[in-house]
Amino acid sequence: MKLCLHCGTRRDAALKDCPACGAAEVVVNGFPAYAPDMAEQGGGFRPESFDLLATLEAGNFWFEVRNDIIEWAMRRYASDTRRLLEIGCGTGFVLSRLARTLPGARLLGTEIFAAGLPHAARRVPEVEFAQMDARRIPFVDEFDAIGAFDVIEHIEEDEAVLAEAHRALRPGGALILTVPQHPWLWSAADDFAVHHRRYTARELHHKLRAADFELVRSSSFVSLLLPAMALSRLRQRRMDADYDPADEMRTPAWLNRMMAACLRFELGAMKMGLSWPAGGSRLVVARKPAR
């Protein structure tokens, strides 16, 4: 069901305009916009970073293996998904993998910044896209799975996002998250990315339970590389004039392959049931209780 953000009326998701109050669907840059006043200045991210991400994600060990981890989690915990929402889809890099993972499903990618949606639509033209504020999701009991991959750390009101995701999921639906982990790893990279936090497992688990989710699986990743990551991050705790956000993504081919192999080893262990206790990132799968 779709929720009118003006009057609160629930209606069939296929209907564009609200039959109760007459509120018409707004379109920004060719995409439905549920928070049009925030389409250019949503906060929590630098819209100019979409151009950089679009050129560097493919082939980078972290983005590629994170996609492997997300695909495995989707197949393992939400393989029967017919309707999926991605919050903060960015340039569509994750959705391009999910479109192959769930070939029969209807996918909706959303982004608060309208600037990101053309990148995503070019990458995955078969997917639906919309501009949306994750703190006000205009759907109720609509999705079998919702994904937010390195998104909620950008949003100060992360607990509101989790509550909205819970309402938008169908009973029994899965929420799959990845987040940056360990506050002591805070560095210039977090400042540049406009993060509000790096999570501890305890904090994230507590917030999910408070939103009435049941925890299904939780594991760190980027665990074997954590010492090298810590050394790199702690050397530059805050941004300065020389900081280049692309430096971490521009790695020599041999090093990129080696780091990808480490992360794929971690994924192999996760597939066998191991949950890594510490790492630069965390994967969590949670479920809305079935009625």
Side-chain angles (χ1 to χ4, degrees), residues 20-39:
C21 72
E25 181 176 86
V26 178
V27 175
V28 174
N29 293 342
F31 300 97
Y34 300 119
D37 56 323
M38 307 187 76

Side-chain angles (χ1 to χ4, degrees), residues 193-213:
V194 198
H195 288 170
H196 283 279
R197 65 192 69 78
R198 297 185 70 91
Y199 285 91
T200 64
R202 178 178 294 180
E203 175 190 8
L204 184 56
H205 295 169
H206 171 75
K207 288 180 176 180
L208 284 164
R209 291 189 178 107
D212 196 30
F213 281 101

Side-chain angles (χ1 to χ4, degrees), residues 250-264:
R250 295 185 182 125
T251 56
W254 67 269
L255 183 59
N256 195 65
R257 289 193 297 270
M258 184 192 77
M259 292 190 288
C262 288
L263 265 66
R264 289 194 170 105

